[in-house]
Amino acid sequence: MKSADLVKDSTVILTEQGREGIFQLRSGDYSTRIAADTLEGVFIKIDSAAAAECALVRVFDELDVSWFGAVGDGSNATAAFAAAISLSHFLGLNRIVCKDPTKQFKIADLRITTNTVIDLGGATVLGDFGPWGTHSGDGSPIYWTRNIFHTVAADAPSVKLKNMTLNGQSDPAFQMKGGVPMVDFRGGATPGRCVIRIENVTVTRGSNRIYSEGSGTIAPTLLLDARNMEILVYNADELWINDVEIRSCPGEMIQVQSDDERTRVRIDNLFATKARDSNPLSRWSGSALNVLNCHPTSAIKNSRFHFFAKSALNWESSGGLLETCEFEDVNDSNALDFNEASSYRFNQLIVRNCSFKDISNVGIRASSSNALFENNTFERVNICISFEGDVVGNGGRGSWLKTNDLMLANNFVRNCWIKVSAVSAPLDRLYFEAGWACEKVSRTIWRFAWQMMDLLGATKLSNRAAETGVGRMM
């Protein structure tokens, strides 16, 4: 096509598979645009004329990654995506797309430096799973999935991932004792306008067991022991997660953390499960979501956490709203933990209209003041709500890991429904840890303490409970 004898305003149809399109020969200086389009997705220099005179220009409205050589057959498309993103930024579009949901693109270590939207229309991005490390003890290879998308603090771009599946391609037959996040997005050293959005995305078959050095990105400042997340958002100014499913990952799934409480978290309609794709009746360890030191206005709504071994959700931030969420089948830990490892104290928490079912330890664990837990339902939960004192904090990891500098106070629990069945735990273990938390704070202004003590002593059944024998209200 470049060598054809063309005249001004000639129309040429490109039929190369995946790069199909209509081009026009246009006069003008296209030298900078041709230089910016390194893989000739939109601007093509013809052999018979200089780039300063004319160029073949694709007729387009948005940039499709296939035009840049992303075949979509599972082969490596990193260079094609990078070229498409670069040209999109040059043209001021800041958006690339795929319009074929059957495509599969392998991407490894793609650094995004500018504000970008990646909308793949339902296509799949494959991670590069392989022996990227060596076991420090026996020298055997250890496997993980390399970064798919990542940013660095020096750039701190806003990024939106939309309409795609991220498949890390992990295989439990191989030793997975290292790793990096599949997605690793960083805000700047100081607050700015770094906004991360993840929308209509499925994440599966991650492999990160511990964040490994030499991975191409710098490990995050350690706020908790968890360094094995599949999605890391660190010091972003905002994080929006909508209509996301994450499953079959061996470690922590999503971790959002901030050094200075800047990150405003907004999560709606997240579904997370530890069921393995290879064996749905077995589950990986680790949590679905860690929210660490984020903004007090952060919130998660309309989300479901199903089939976990460890705590489904660790919310280690002062302030937050959790509403209309479901926690089901946690067989070795707590459902919702505001006090992970009994070491952290956070205040100003609201949990309402949530459901807790089949939890082996505690439904809601906290060490807080000024908390409101209301209109929640508990079914087959060992300890529904546990408030714990004597938290010592951990100043070595940051001043935000506070001690209990005052006694637990101003906590409200109301309108919670506990469904009791023959397989439930005894009642004195169902509400609090044998009532010790209530005794400890009975001298404070914790309004519901006396009510709980009365409940543990001589519980009054609600009308419904008295009639059916299946529940009690508090």
PDB file of all heavy atoms in Angstrom, residues 11-40:
ATOM      1  N   THR A  11      -8.395   7.086  -1.882  1.00  0.00           N
ATOM      2  CA  THR A  11      -8.885   6.215  -0.799  1.00  0.00           C
ATOM      3  C   THR A  11      -8.335   4.821  -1.015  1.00  0.00           C
ATOM      4  O   THR A  11      -8.421   4.270  -2.127  1.00  0.00           O
ATOM      5  CB  THR A  11     -10.414   6.193  -0.759  1.00  0.00           C
ATOM      6  OG1 THR A  11     -10.892   7.507  -0.469  1.00  0.00           O
ATOM      7  CG2 THR A  11     -10.914   5.233   0.319  1.00  0.00           C
ATOM      8  N   VAL A  12      -7.778   4.252   0.037  1.00  0.00           N
ATOM      9  CA  VAL A  12      -7.185   2.915  -0.032  1.00  0.00           C
ATOM     10  C   VAL A  12      -7.811   2.061   1.058  1.00  0.00           C
ATOM     11  O   VAL A  12      -7.967   2.509   2.207  1.00  0.00           O
ATOM     12  CB  VAL A  12      -5.656   2.975   0.158  1.00  0.00           C
ATOM     13  CG1 VAL A  12      -5.066   1.571   0.099  1.00  0.00           C
ATOM     14  CG2 VAL A  12      -5.025   3.872  -0.884  1.00  0.00           C
ATOM     15  N   ILE A  13      -8.175   0.838   0.729  1.00  0.00           N
ATOM     16  CA  ILE A  13      -8.739  -0.090   1.704  1.00  0.00           C
ATOM     17  C   ILE A  13      -7.670  -1.118   2.065  1.00  0.00           C
ATOM     18  O   ILE A  13      -7.177  -1.848   1.199  1.00  0.00           O
ATOM     19  CB  ILE A  13      -9.990  -0.786   1.153  1.00  0.00           C
ATOM     20  CG1 ILE A  13     -11.080   0.252   0.860  1.00  0.00           C
ATOM     21  CG2 ILE A  13     -10.514  -1.810   2.166  1.00  0.00           C
ATOM     22  CD1 ILE A  13     -12.323  -0.337   0.238  1.00  0.00           C
ATOM     23  N   LEU A  14      -7.311  -1.146   3.361  1.00  0.00           N
ATOM     24  CA  LEU A  14      -6.343  -2.120   3.852  1.00  0.00           C
ATOM     25  C   LEU A  14      -7.083  -3.383   4.255  1.00  0.00           C
ATOM     26  O   LEU A  14      -8.039  -3.338   5.028  1.00  0.00           O
ATOM     27  CB  LEU A  14      -5.586  -1.543   5.055  1.00  0.00           C
ATOM     28  CG  LEU A  14      -4.532  -2.443   5.713  1.00  0.00           C
ATOM     29  CD1 LEU A  14      -3.411  -2.768   4.723  1.00  0.00           C
ATOM     30  CD2 LEU A  14      -3.966  -1.774   6.965  1.00  0.00           C
ATOM     31  N   THR A  15      -6.644  -4.528   3.740  1.00  0.00           N
ATOM     32  CA  THR A  15      -7.345  -5.797   4.001  1.00  0.00           C
ATOM     33  C   THR A  15      -6.556  -6.731   4.899  1.00  0.00           C
ATOM     34  O   THR A  15      -7.011  -7.848   5.160  1.00  0.00           O
ATOM     35  CB  THR A  15      -7.648  -6.498   2.671  1.00  0.00           C
ATOM     36  OG1 THR A  15      -6.419  -6.752   1.975  1.00  0.00           O
ATOM     37  CG2 THR A  15      -8.578  -5.664   1.809  1.00  0.00           C
ATOM     38  N   GLU A  16      -5.407  -6.298   5.381  1.00  0.00           N
ATOM     39  CA  GLU A  16      -4.603  -7.148   6.262  1.00  0.00           C
ATOM     40  C   GLU A  16      -5.421  -7.512   7.499  1.00  0.00           C
ATOM     41  O   GLU A  16      -5.985  -6.651   8.167  1.00  0.00           O
ATOM     42  CB  GLU A  16      -3.333  -6.412   6.668  1.00  0.00           C
ATOM     43  CG  GLU A  16      -2.430  -7.213   7.587  1.00  0.00           C
ATOM     44  CD  GLU A  16      -1.219  -6.414   8.017  1.00  0.00           C
ATOM     45  OE1 GLU A  16      -0.936  -5.353   7.420  1.00  0.00           O
ATOM     46  OE2 GLU A  16      -0.559  -6.855   8.981  1.00  0.00           O
ATOM     47  N   GLN A  17      -5.480  -8.810   7.821  1.00  0.00           N
ATOM     48  CA  GLN A  17      -6.336  -9.279   8.916  1.00  0.00           C
ATOM     49  C   GLN A  17      -5.947  -8.618  10.239  1.00  0.00           C
ATOM     50  O   GLN A  17      -4.785  -8.582  10.622  1.00  0.00           O
ATOM     51  CB  GLN A  17      -6.242 -10.797   9.047  1.00  0.00           C
ATOM     52  CG  GLN A  17      -7.202 -11.370  10.086  1.00  0.00           C
ATOM     53  CD  GLN A  17      -7.190 -12.887  10.101  1.00  0.00           C
ATOM     54  OE1 GLN A  17      -6.438 -13.532   9.374  1.00  0.00           O
ATOM     55  NE2 GLN A  17      -8.032 -13.469  10.929  1.00  0.00           N
ATOM     56  N   GLY A  18      -6.954  -8.088  10.904  1.00  0.00           N
ATOM     57  CA  GLY A  18      -6.753  -7.408  12.171  1.00  0.00           C
ATOM     58  C   GLY A  18      -6.454  -5.933  12.031  1.00  0.00           C
ATOM     59  O   GLY A  18      -6.650  -5.165  12.966  1.00  0.00           O
ATOM     60  N   ARG A  19      -5.942  -5.539  10.870  1.00  0.00           N
ATOM     61  CA  ARG A  19      -5.598  -4.133  10.645  1.00  0.00           C
ATOM     62  C   ARG A  19      -6.485  -3.492   9.581  1.00  0.00           C
ATOM     63  O   ARG A  19      -6.189  -2.412   9.071  1.00  0.00           O
ATOM     64  CB  ARG A  19      -4.129  -4.020  10.238  1.00  0.00           C
ATOM     65  CG  ARG A  19      -3.167  -4.505  11.307  1.00  0.00           C
ATOM     66  CD  ARG A  19      -1.758  -4.634  10.767  1.00  0.00           C
ATOM     67  NE  ARG A  19      -1.209  -3.363  10.363  1.00  0.00           N
ATOM     68  CZ  ARG A  19      -0.426  -2.585  11.123  1.00  0.00           C
ATOM     69  NH1 ARG A  19      -0.139  -2.972  12.351  1.00  0.00           N
ATOM     70  NH2 ARG A  19       0.048  -1.452  10.681  1.00  0.00           N
ATOM     71  N   GLU A  20      -7.572  -4.173   9.245  1.00  0.00           N
ATOM     72  CA  GLU A  20      -8.455  -3.698   8.188  1.00  0.00           C
ATOM     73  C   GLU A  20      -8.899  -2.258   8.455  1.00  0.00           C
ATOM     74  O   GLU A  20      -9.071  -1.854   9.596  1.00  0.00           O
ATOM     75  CB  GLU A  20      -9.702  -4.581   8.082  1.00  0.00           C
ATOM     76  CG  GLU A  20      -9.433  -6.043   7.792  1.00  0.00           C
ATOM     77  CD  GLU A  20      -9.312  -6.887   9.044  1.00  0.00           C
ATOM     78  OE1 GLU A  20      -9.057  -6.316  10.138  1.00  0.00           O
ATOM     79  OE2 GLU A  20      -9.466  -8.118   8.936  1.00  0.00           O
ATOM     80  N   GLY A  21      -9.092  -1.523   7.343  1.00  0.00           N
ATOM     81  CA  GLY A  21      -9.591  -0.169   7.498  1.00  0.00           C
ATOM     82  C   GLY A  21      -9.485   0.642   6.233  1.00  0.00           C
ATOM     83  O   GLY A  21      -8.931   0.194   5.218  1.00  0.00           O
ATOM     84  N   ILE A  22     -10.026   1.852   6.276  1.00  0.00           N
ATOM     85  CA  ILE A  22     -10.015   2.772   5.151  1.00  0.00           C
ATOM     86  C   ILE A  22      -8.993   3.870   5.426  1.00  0.00           C
ATOM     87  O   ILE A  22      -8.989   4.488   6.494  1.00  0.00           O
ATOM     88  CB  ILE A  22     -11.409   3.393   4.943  1.00  0.00           C
ATOM     89  CG1 ILE A  22     -12.437   2.291   4.639  1.00  0.00           C
ATOM     90  CG2 ILE A  22     -11.388   4.426   3.824  1.00  0.00           C
ATOM     91  CD1 ILE A  22     -13.862   2.787   4.576  1.00  0.00           C
ATOM     92  N   PHE A  23      -8.108   4.101   4.443  1.00  0.00           N
ATOM     93  CA  PHE A  23      -7.093   5.145   4.544  1.00  0.00           C
ATOM     94  C   PHE A  23      -7.293   6.142   3.406  1.00  0.00           C
ATOM     95  O   PHE A  23      -7.736   5.780   2.313  1.00  0.00           O
ATOM     96  CB  PHE A  23      -5.682   4.554   4.449  1.00  0.00           C
ATOM     97  CG  PHE A  23      -5.243   3.807   5.687  1.00  0.00           C
ATOM     98  CD1 PHE A  23      -5.720   2.531   5.947  1.00  0.00           C
ATOM     99  CD2 PHE A  23      -4.345   4.379   6.571  1.00  0.00           C
ATOM    100  CE1 PHE A  23      -5.310   1.841   7.076  1.00  0.00           C
ATOM    101  CE2 PHE A  23      -3.937   3.687   7.704  1.00  0.00           C
ATOM    102  CZ  PHE A  23      -4.418   2.424   7.959  1.00  0.00           C
ATOM    103  N   GLN A  24      -6.931   7.380   3.667  1.00  0.00           N
ATOM    104  CA  GLN A  24      -6.957   8.432   2.648  1.00  0.00           C
ATOM    105  C   GLN A  24      -5.583   9.093   2.569  1.00  0.00           C
ATOM    106  O   GLN A  24      -4.919   9.281   3.595  1.00  0.00           O
ATOM    107  CB  GLN A  24      -8.014   9.487   2.973  1.00  0.00           C
ATOM    108  CG  GLN A  24      -9.442   8.994   2.879  1.00  0.00           C
ATOM    109  CD  GLN A  24     -10.448  10.078   3.230  1.00  0.00           C
ATOM    110  OE1 GLN A  24     -10.140  11.012   3.969  1.00  0.00           O
ATOM    111  NE2 GLN A  24     -11.654   9.957   2.698  1.00  0.00           N
ATOM    112  N   LEU A  25      -5.158   9.421   1.354  1.00  0.00           N
ATOM    113  CA  LEU A  25      -3.908  10.152   1.174  1.00  0.00           C
ATOM    114  C   LEU A  25      -4.202  11.645   1.354  1.00  0.00           C
ATOM    115  O   LEU A  25      -4.947  12.248   0.581  1.00  0.00           O
ATOM    116  CB  LEU A  25      -3.331   9.900  -0.213  1.00  0.00           C
ATOM    117  CG  LEU A  25      -1.974  10.559  -0.477  1.00  0.00           C
ATOM    118  CD1 LEU A  25      -0.914   9.978   0.442  1.00  0.00           C
ATOM    119  CD2 LEU A  25      -1.569  10.412  -1.942  1.00  0.00           C
ATOM    120  N   ARG A  26      -3.598  12.220   2.399  1.00  0.00           N
ATOM    121  CA  ARG A  26      -3.871  13.617   2.728  1.00  0.00           C
ATOM    122  C   ARG A  26      -2.584  14.436   2.653  1.00  0.00           C
ATOM    123  O   ARG A  26      -1.515  14.000   3.090  1.00  0.00           O
ATOM    124  CB  ARG A  26      -4.476  13.736   4.128  1.00  0.00           C
ATOM    125  CG  ARG A  26      -5.823  13.038   4.255  1.00  0.00           C
ATOM    126  CD  ARG A  26      -6.389  13.180   5.657  1.00  0.00           C
ATOM    127  NE  ARG A  26      -7.655  12.471   5.791  1.00  0.00           N
ATOM    128  CZ  ARG A  26      -8.319  12.339   6.933  1.00  0.00           C
ATOM    129  NH1 ARG A  26      -7.814  12.882   8.051  1.00  0.00           N
ATOM    130  NH2 ARG A  26      -9.459  11.683   6.971  1.00  0.00           N
ATOM    131  N   SER A  27      -2.709  15.619   2.075  1.00  0.00           N
ATOM    132  CA  SER A  27      -1.574  16.532   1.971  1.00  0.00           C
ATOM    133  C   SER A  27      -1.331  17.227   3.308  1.00  0.00           C
ATOM    134  O   SER A  27      -2.250  17.434   4.101  1.00  0.00           O
ATOM    135  CB  SER A  27      -1.827  17.575   0.883  1.00  0.00           C
ATOM    136  OG  SER A  27      -2.016  16.966  -0.365  1.00  0.00           O
ATOM    137  N   GLY A  28      -0.099  17.612   3.535  1.00  0.00           N
ATOM    138  CA  GLY A  28       0.261  18.319   4.751  1.00  0.00           C
ATOM    139  C   GLY A  28       1.483  17.710   5.393  1.00  0.00           C
ATOM    140  O   GLY A  28       1.999  16.674   4.959  1.00  0.00           O
ATOM    141  N   ASP A  29       1.934  18.379   6.434  1.00  0.00           N
ATOM    142  CA  ASP A  29       3.120  17.902   7.158  1.00  0.00           C
ATOM    143  C   ASP A  29       2.689  16.919   8.246  1.00  0.00           C
ATOM    144  O   ASP A  29       2.165  17.308   9.294  1.00  0.00           O
ATOM    145  CB  ASP A  29       3.859  19.087   7.768  1.00  0.00           C
ATOM    146  CG  ASP A  29       5.177  18.668   8.419  1.00  0.00           C
ATOM    147  OD1 ASP A  29       5.455  17.449   8.467  1.00  0.00           O
ATOM    148  OD2 ASP A  29       5.921  19.563   8.867  1.00  0.00           O
ATOM    149  N   TYR A  30       2.909  15.649   7.985  1.00  0.00           N
ATOM    150  CA  TYR A  30       2.537  14.595   8.930  1.00  0.00           C
ATOM    151  C   TYR A  30       3.764  13.985   9.608  1.00  0.00           C
ATOM    152  O   TYR A  30       3.674  12.904  10.178  1.00  0.00           O
ATOM    153  CB  TYR A  30       1.750  13.497   8.204  1.00  0.00           C
ATOM    154  CG  TYR A  30       0.312  13.878   7.923  1.00  0.00           C
ATOM    155  CD1 TYR A  30      -0.035  14.570   6.773  1.00  0.00           C
ATOM    156  CD2 TYR A  30      -0.692  13.554   8.832  1.00  0.00           C
ATOM    157  CE1 TYR A  30      -1.351  14.932   6.513  1.00  0.00           C
ATOM    158  CE2 TYR A  30      -2.008  13.911   8.587  1.00  0.00           C
ATOM    159  CZ  TYR A  30      -2.332  14.601   7.430  1.00  0.00           C
ATOM    160  OH  TYR A  30      -3.640  14.957   7.185  1.00  0.00           O
ATOM    161  N   SER A  31       4.875  14.674   9.539  1.00  0.00           N
ATOM    162  CA  SER A  31       6.118  14.082  10.035  1.00  0.00           C
ATOM    163  C   SER A  31       6.061  13.751  11.524  1.00  0.00           C
ATOM    164  O   SER A  31       6.506  12.678  11.950  1.00  0.00           O
ATOM    165  CB  SER A  31       7.292  15.013   9.737  1.00  0.00           C
ATOM    166  OG  SER A  31       7.064  16.305  10.272  1.00  0.00           O
ATOM    167  N   THR A  32       5.512  14.647  12.354  1.00  0.00           N
ATOM    168  CA  THR A  32       5.467  14.361  13.795  1.00  0.00           C
ATOM    169  C   THR A  32       4.466  13.251  14.114  1.00  0.00           C
ATOM    170  O   THR A  32       4.697  12.429  14.998  1.00  0.00           O
ATOM    171  CB  THR A  32       5.099  15.624  14.584  1.00  0.00           C
ATOM    172  OG1 THR A  32       3.839  16.139  14.119  1.00  0.00           O
ATOM    173  CG2 THR A  32       6.167  16.695  14.418  1.00  0.00           C
ATOM    174  N   ARG A  33       3.365  13.203  13.372  1.00  0.00           N
ATOM    175  CA  ARG A  33       2.375  12.160  13.623  1.00  0.00           C
ATOM    176  C   ARG A  33       2.877  10.796  13.157  1.00  0.00           C
ATOM    177  O   ARG A  33       2.638   9.775  13.814  1.00  0.00           O
ATOM    178  CB  ARG A  33       1.058  12.528  12.943  1.00  0.00           C
ATOM    179  CG  ARG A  33       0.228  13.529  13.747  1.00  0.00           C
ATOM    180  CD  ARG A  33      -0.908  14.140  12.971  1.00  0.00           C
ATOM    181  NE  ARG A  33      -0.432  15.218  12.093  1.00  0.00           N
ATOM    182  CZ  ARG A  33      -1.232  16.042  11.462  1.00  0.00           C
ATOM    183  NH1 ARG A  33      -2.548  15.924  11.579  1.00  0.00           N
ATOM    184  NH2 ARG A  33      -0.736  17.009  10.699  1.00  0.00           N
ATOM    185  N   ILE A  34       3.583  10.771  12.051  1.00  0.00           N
ATOM    186  CA  ILE A  34       4.170   9.505  11.598  1.00  0.00           C
ATOM    187  C   ILE A  34       5.219   9.024  12.598  1.00  0.00           C
ATOM    188  O   ILE A  34       5.304   7.832  12.920  1.00  0.00           O
ATOM    189  CB  ILE A  34       4.778   9.678  10.197  1.00  0.00           C
ATOM    190  CG1 ILE A  34       3.647   9.816   9.165  1.00  0.00           C
ATOM    191  CG2 ILE A  34       5.683   8.508   9.845  1.00  0.00           C
ATOM    192  CD1 ILE A  34       4.126  10.147   7.767  1.00  0.00           C
ATOM    193  N   ALA A  35       6.013   9.950  13.118  1.00  0.00           N
ATOM    194  CA  ALA A  35       7.021   9.579  14.117  1.00  0.00           C
ATOM    195  C   ALA A  35       6.379   9.061  15.395  1.00  0.00           C
ATOM    196  O   ALA A  35       6.905   8.152  16.055  1.00  0.00           O
ATOM    197  CB  ALA A  35       7.915  10.780  14.424  1.00  0.00           C
ATOM    198  N   ALA A  36       5.226   9.633  15.767  1.00  0.00           N
ATOM    199  CA  ALA A  36       4.543   9.201  16.986  1.00  0.00           C
ATOM    200  C   ALA A  36       3.864   7.844  16.816  1.00  0.00           C
ATOM    201  O   ALA A  36       3.678   7.112  17.798  1.00  0.00           O
ATOM    202  CB  ALA A  36       3.505  10.245  17.396  1.00  0.00           C
ATOM    203  N   ASP A  37       3.509   7.511  15.579  1.00  0.00           N
ATOM    204  CA  ASP A  37       2.809   6.245  15.310  1.00  0.00           C
ATOM    205  C   ASP A  37       3.827   5.200  14.879  1.00  0.00           C
ATOM    206  O   ASP A  37       3.973   4.868  13.701  1.00  0.00           O
ATOM    207  CB  ASP A  37       1.759   6.472  14.231  1.00  0.00           C
ATOM    208  CG  ASP A  37       0.839   5.268  14.045  1.00  0.00           C
ATOM    209  OD1 ASP A  37       1.037   4.252  14.738  1.00  0.00           O
ATOM    210  OD2 ASP A  37      -0.070   5.348  13.190  1.00  0.00           O
ATOM    211  N   THR A  38       4.542   4.643  15.834  1.00  0.00           N
ATOM    212  CA  THR A  38       5.685   3.779  15.528  1.00  0.00           C
ATOM    213  C   THR A  38       5.298   2.477  14.841  1.00  0.00           C
ATOM    214  O   THR A  38       6.111   1.882  14.139  1.00  0.00           O
ATOM    215  CB  THR A  38       6.459   3.464  16.811  1.00  0.00           C
ATOM    216  OG1 THR A  38       5.561   2.859  17.760  1.00  0.00           O
ATOM    217  CG2 THR A  38       7.045   4.737  17.421  1.00  0.00           C
ATOM    218  N   LEU A  39       4.061   2.002  15.032  1.00  0.00           N
ATOM    219  CA  LEU A  39       3.633   0.741  14.420  1.00  0.00           C
ATOM    220  C   LEU A  39       2.596   0.954  13.324  1.00  0.00           C
ATOM    221  O   LEU A  39       1.905   0.016  12.923  1.00  0.00           O
ATOM    222  CB  LEU A  39       3.095  -0.206  15.497  1.00  0.00           C
ATOM    223  CG  LEU A  39       4.141  -0.670  16.529  1.00  0.00           C
ATOM    224  CD1 LEU A  39       3.523  -1.644  17.533  1.00  0.00           C
ATOM    225  CD2 LEU A  39       5.336  -1.307  15.850  1.00  0.00           C
ATOM    226  N   GLU A  40       2.470   2.175  12.849  1.00  0.00           N
ATOM    227  CA  GLU A  40       1.663   2.502  11.678  1.00  0.00           C
ATOM    228  C   GLU A  40       0.205   2.051  11.812  1.00  0.00           C
ATOM    229  O   GLU A  40      -0.394   1.523  10.889  1.00  0.00           O
ATOM    230  CB  GLU A  40       2.277   1.904  10.410  1.00  0.00           C
ATOM    231  CG  GLU A  40       3.675   2.420  10.108  1.00  0.00           C
ATOM    232  CD  GLU A  40       4.239   1.843   8.826  1.00  0.00           C
ATOM    233  OE1 GLU A  40       3.955   0.667   8.508  1.00  0.00           O
ATOM    234  OE2 GLU A  40       4.970   2.567   8.126  1.00  0.00           O
TER     235      GLU A  40
END
